[in-house]
Amino acid sequence: MPIYYPDILENPPTTWTFSYGDKDVMLYALGIGLGADPLNRDELPFVYEKGLKVVPTAATVLSSAGVGRAQRTQTSEPREGWRQSEINYLMVVHGEQKVELHKPLPEYGSFTAEMRVVGAYDKGAGKGAVIINETTWTDDKGEKVATLTGSTFARGDGGFGGPSDGAPEPHVVPDRAPDISVDFATTPDQALLYRLNGDRNPLHSDPDIAKAAGFDRPILHGLCTYGITCRAVLQEITGWDPSVIESHQVRFSAPVFPGDTITVDLWRDGKVISFEARVKERGVTVIKNGKTVLRA
């Protein structure tokens, strides 16, 4: 079935409750490469329960921890005549991701999440579609914790008749040389570790599925690369203090293969950190239009 527009925007929100603990926090940090050197005292607090710190971008996976997915429910019934849209998930890649933290993520807790589709843009038949979802977290006091905005590039679902313009404009990075550049080596098994955070898409683990999707081998999760760029900001800008980061957003531009070396280029302009990421071995930019906002 195709994407039905504007029905997809009227899809009732989905809500679920979830909890996470220190194991989930540490697994995420390990998945983005923290703790590779057990003697690195700057990274240790992210992978050790003594004085545990939470990487801000862990918000993208922590809502999948524990029993969260089993409890998802729609908050209301769809209207009469509403048509269920279907996306070809074999042809889906992550387009953009933003995490906005209304307060620093705690080490553990129980939360309620609500997700809704807030935009759908048609690139044309054979050119794909962009679907934008927004998820908000509230804690057990009813206070907002995080807002996650993500876009999905559905490569096989263009031509559904929706608008082609109106999507949010990407952040523009400075045209000067980067202020800082830092390298991060990924490991050949990194996607197999990262997927234990909850994203079991076989595109990241099964060579046959990856080949069917047009890749010669499984690719690294875009959200893993996203987490690595946040790691760069923590390391080079915030002095390893995650509470300083208010938001972190990126646009995915090319896949990373496990084993690639990722170079993150950063520009600092007051409370705004711009960044891009590239794979040195292949000369490919994999993250564009990156922006971190620091707390005032």
Side-chain angles (χ1 to χ4, degrees):
M1 296 173 65
I3 293 173
Y4 292 115
Y5 188 86
D7 301 59
I8 192 170
L9 302 182
E10 299 174 10
N11 190 1
T14 299
T15 64
W16 66 98
T17 58
F18 66 94
S19 301
Y20 66 79
D22 60 0
K23 180 179 178 181
D24 305 298
V25 168
M26 292 185 283
L27 179 60
Y28 176 81
L30 290 168
I32 64 171
L34 289 165
D37 178 0
L39 298 182
N40 185 323
R41 295 185 179 275
D42 292 320
E43 296 185 6
L44 188 61
F46 294 91
V47 296
Y48 179 39
E49 60 272 19
K50 185 177 180 180
L52 185 62
K53 296 180 179 181
V54 186
V55 179
T57 50
T60 57
V61 303
L62 289 176
S63 61
S64 301
V67 297
R69 290 190 180 277
Q71 297 184 357
R72 293 193 181 201
T73 59
Q74 289 189 332
T75 56
S76 61
E77 292 297 322
R79 61 174 174 78
E80 185 178 356
W82 175 82
R83 299 168 297 176
Q84 173 69 56
S85 297
E86 295 290 343
I87 295 173
N88 180 0
Y89 284 98
L90 181 62
M91 300 294 288
V92 159
V93 293
H94 213 132
E96 300 180 54
Q97 182 65 52
K98 178 181 179 180
V99 167
E100 181 182 5
L101 297 177
H102 307 287
K103 58 176 70 176
L105 291 178
E107 299 173 23
Y108 58 88
S110 297
F111 309 88
T112 298
E114 180 178 275
M115 180 178 65
R116 66 177 69 236
V117 175
V118 296
Y121 302 94
D122 190 354
K123 298 298 183 182
K127 298 180 180 179
V130 176
I131 312 299
I132 300 178
N133 294 289
E134 181 181 272
T135 302
T136 56
W137 287 19
T138 53
D139 60 20
D140 54 8
K141 298 178 182 178
E143 297 177 352
K144 189 179 289 188
V145 177
T147 300
L148 284 63
T149 306
S151 73
T152 296
F153 180 43
R155 295 178 294 159
D157 293 290
F160 64 88
S164 58
D165 298 318
E169 292 294 326
H171 172 67
V172 178
V173 303
D175 59 5
R176 67 180 189 269
D179 299 321
I180 304 169
S181 295
V182 57
D183 292 346
F184 297 96
T186 65
T187 60
D189 63 349
Q190 193 147 357
L192 297 176
L193 174 61
Y194 184 86
R195 71 192 298 267
L196 300 182
N197 287 290
D199 186 345
R200 299 292 186 95
N201 186 336
L203 179 64
H204 307 292
S205 57
D206 189 319
D208 294 330
I209 297 295
K211 185 176 181 180
F215 301 105
D216 61 4
R217 55 195 168 110
I219 63 175
L220 190 64
H221 302 69
L223 286 179
C224 183
T225 306
Y226 174 65
I228 289 170
T229 62
C230 186
R231 177 184 170 192
V233 174
L234 287 168
Q235 175 179 307
E236 301 296 329
I237 303 294
T238 76
W240 298 102
D241 182 357
S243 70
V244 175
I245 295 177
E246 183 175 276
S247 65
H248 189 80
Q249 67 187 70
V250 303
R251 180 173 172 239
F252 302 101
S253 55
V256 173
F257 294 98
D260 283 344
T261 297
I262 299 172
T263 299
V264 182
D265 299 319
L266 304 109
W267 295 262
R268 181 161 190 171
D269 294 287
K271 297 297 182 181
V272 174
I273 311 301
S274 303
F275 60 89
E276 292 194 335
R278 51 195 164 88
V279 171
K280 297 181 71 171
E281 296 91 340
R282 295 185 283 115
V284 175
T285 299
V286 296
I287 294 286
K288 293 183 177 180
N289 310 109
K291 178 183 178 182
T292 302
V293 177
L294 306 179
R295 297 187 188 279

